[in-house]
Structure formats: C-alpha cells, structure tokens
C-alpha cells in the first residue's frame, strides 16, 4: 500500500477510537506537495482535500479534477479580495472568510456568476495579531452580517489555535460559538491535535504532515 494511503487509514482508526458519535471527515492538506503525491489518495477513493494558496491550487487541481470530478477542494489559507473570483471557481468550500470586505466581494461574485462555494468563518480564537480570522468578540455580529445582509451560505467555523498553547480550550470555544449560532460544521484539528479536536466536536479535521510527510 502507498504510504499516504496507509497514513490516512491509520488516522481513520485513531479517529474511530476517540469519536463517540459520527466520525469527523478527514481533509487531506496537499499544500507544497505535487499532484503526483495527491493522486494515490484519489485512486484509493479519498475525495476531500485542501490547499492554502489559490495560485498553487490553480496549478494542481484543474487537471486532477478532470479525472476525479467528485473531488472536493477546500481553501484553508487567507484570501485576498483580488483573488476571490479565482478562488470561487477553484474551491468547493472556502474556510477563511473573516472580514466584511471579503464577504462583500464574495457576494458580488456570487451575484455575477450565480454560484457560491460553501463558507466557513475563520475565528482567531487566540486573538493573535498576526493571524487571520475574526475575533471571538466580533464573530456573532459577523455571522449575522454574512447571513442576513449578504445572504451567504455560511455553514460553520474554522480555527487554528496558537502554536504554543494547549489547543483544547480553543476547540471548546469554537464549538461554543458554533452552538450558539446554530452552525453545524466545525473545522478544527491538524496533524498534532486531531484526536483532541475530534473529542471536542470537530466535524472536519485538516491533516497535512501526518498524511504526506514533512514539508
Ligand atoms: C497546513 C495547514 C494544516 C495542516 O497542518 P499539518 O500540521 O501539516 O497537519 C491545517 N490547517 C491549515 C489552515 C493549514 O495551513
């Protein structure tokens, strides 16, 4: 069996061991890895992937999607407003919606094209100044704005906890914000903490290194 395929199935087993309800879906994060590294997973039947850069996704995914049209691609990196149109053509889900200007631009493109990816709002749970994401203090109002003013398909939340902290309180906070806003999708947990995220209610875990190896 191919290494990445074996790694993925081991992660699935670990998730089964910690999840009481339904298993979180595994998003394979292929950033920095070439299409040739992603192909074995597609061939094995895996369909859920993510990239963090629009340009890199454009270089790899149109070709892959030609052969695997059922593949689902998430954007998990910051999105500049001038790349919105490209992103909306390439991605099925955008996980990094985090400011009004971006919401406005996505709504504008949706009105032009008639299509919109599903959206997750990125929350900067650690309130780190250098990190993308909306502050937990502003998130409730922002969710309302996206839904009511722009009529955007906001399905849930995403977070990246501060690297130097225990992730559990951040996952718990994201879950609390999702619950009080009646949002179902919770994208949280990466290679080092996906089991913790799963035990705290993640519906999606985003895993790069533990599948593809060191970047
Ligand atoms: C790279 C990345 C991941 C995956 O990280 P690993 O530690 O390699 O599993 C998950 N989420 C985001 C937003 C990323 O940029």
């Amino acid at each position: 069996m191919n290494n990445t395929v074996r790694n993925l199935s081991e992660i699935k087993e670990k998730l089964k061991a910690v999840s009481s309800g339904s298993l979180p879906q595994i998003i394979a994060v292929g950033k920095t890895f070439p299409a040739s590294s992603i192909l074995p997973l597609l061939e094995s039947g895996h369909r859920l992937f993510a990239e963090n850069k629009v340009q890199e996704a454009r270089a790899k995914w149109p070709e892959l999607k030609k052969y695997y049209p059922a593949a689902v691609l998430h954007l998990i990196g910051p999105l500049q407003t001038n790349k919105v149109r490209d992103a909306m053509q390439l991605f099925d889900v955008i996980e990094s919606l985090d400011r009004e200007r971006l919401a406005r631009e996505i709504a504008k493109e949706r009105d032009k094209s008639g299509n919109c990816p599903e959206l997750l709002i990125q929350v900067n749970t650690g309130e780190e100044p250098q990190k993308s994401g909306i502050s937990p203090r502003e998130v409730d109002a922002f969710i309302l704005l996206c839904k009511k003013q722009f009529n955007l398909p906001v399905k849930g939340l995403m977070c990246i906890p501060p690297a130097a902290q225990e992730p559990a309180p951040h996952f718990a906070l994201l879950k609390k914000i999702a619950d009080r806003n009646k949002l179902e999708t919770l994208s949280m947990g990466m290679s080092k903490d996906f089991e913790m995220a799963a035990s705290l209610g993640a519906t999606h875990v985003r895993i790069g290194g533990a599948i593809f190896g060191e970047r």
Side-chain angles (χ1 to χ4, degrees):
M1 201 192 282
N2 171 282
N3 275 343
T4 57
V5 175
R6 190 176 57 234
N7 291 341
L8 180 67
S9 80
E10 285 172 8
I11 290 164
K12 247 178 235 168
E13 291 310 311
K14 287 182 182 163
L15 282 172
K16 275 185 201 155
V18 294
S19 309
S20 43
S22 52
L23 283 191
Q25 297 193 54
I26 300 170
I27 304 174
V29 179
K31 67 184 184 199
T32 76
F33 288 92
S36 58
S37 303
I38 294 169
L39 259 180
L41 290 175
L42 283 162
E43 280 162 5
S44 79
H46 192 71
R47 289 295 174 263
L48 190 49
F49 295 86
E51 294 286 342
N52 71 332
K53 295 203 172 89
V54 175
Q55 213 149 354
E56 187 178 343
R58 193 173 38 209
K60 290 196 294 207
W61 279 95
E63 185 76 4
L64 289 170
K65 277 208 176 183
K66 222 177 351 182
Y67 296 103
Y68 294 94
V72 173
L73 189 61
H74 287 220
L75 175 64
I76 58 173
L79 178 56
Q80 296 168 294
T81 46
N82 64 359
K83 299 223 171 94
V84 162
R85 182 180 306 168
D86 265 9
M88 287 174 71
Q89 285 169 359
L90 281 163
F91 293 95
D92 303 286
V93 179
I94 293 175
E95 299 201 11
S96 48
L97 174 55
D98 65 353
R99 60 198 188 278
E100 179 170 350
R101 234 187 110 215
L102 185 55
R104 188 180 299 281
E105 195 64 27
I106 291 172
K108 205 170 93 188
E109 284 302 326
R110 182 264 329 267
D111 292 344
K112 274 193 214 157
S113 69
N115 291 315
C116 195
E118 289 191 354
L119 301 169
L120 305 186
I121 289 174
Q122 182 177 351
V123 185
N124 187 358
T125 56
E127 307 211 48
E128 296 171 279
Q130 82 287 4
K131 197 171 269 176
S132 316
I134 187 141
S135 139
R137 288 171 284 111
E138 297 167 19
V139 67
D140 291 359
F142 183 59
I143 292 166
L144 264 184
L145 179 85
C146 290
K147 287 183 156 184
K148 301 289 177 211
Q149 179 167 338
F150 296 119
N151 194 25
L152 291 174
V154 174
K155 304 294 181 190
L157 306 174
M158 182 270 257
C159 77
I160 310 166
Q165 291 181 26
E166 270 299 311
H170 297 273
F171 297 152
L173 173 59
L174 201 70
K175 167 83 171 143
K176 201 169 99 183
I177 297 169
D179 285 349
R180 73 176 179 239
N181 286 284
K182 302 193 167 49
L183 293 171
E184 281 184 359
T185 302
L186 270 182
S187 171
M188 56 189 200
M190 317 201 305
S191 290
K192 293 197 168 65
D193 52 22
F194 66 88
E195 288 158 292
M196 173 64 70
S199 74
L200 290 169
T203 62
H204 294 70
V205 293
R206 309 179 306 269
I207 305 199
I211 295 175
F212 293 101
E214 294 293 317
R215 284 186 294 272

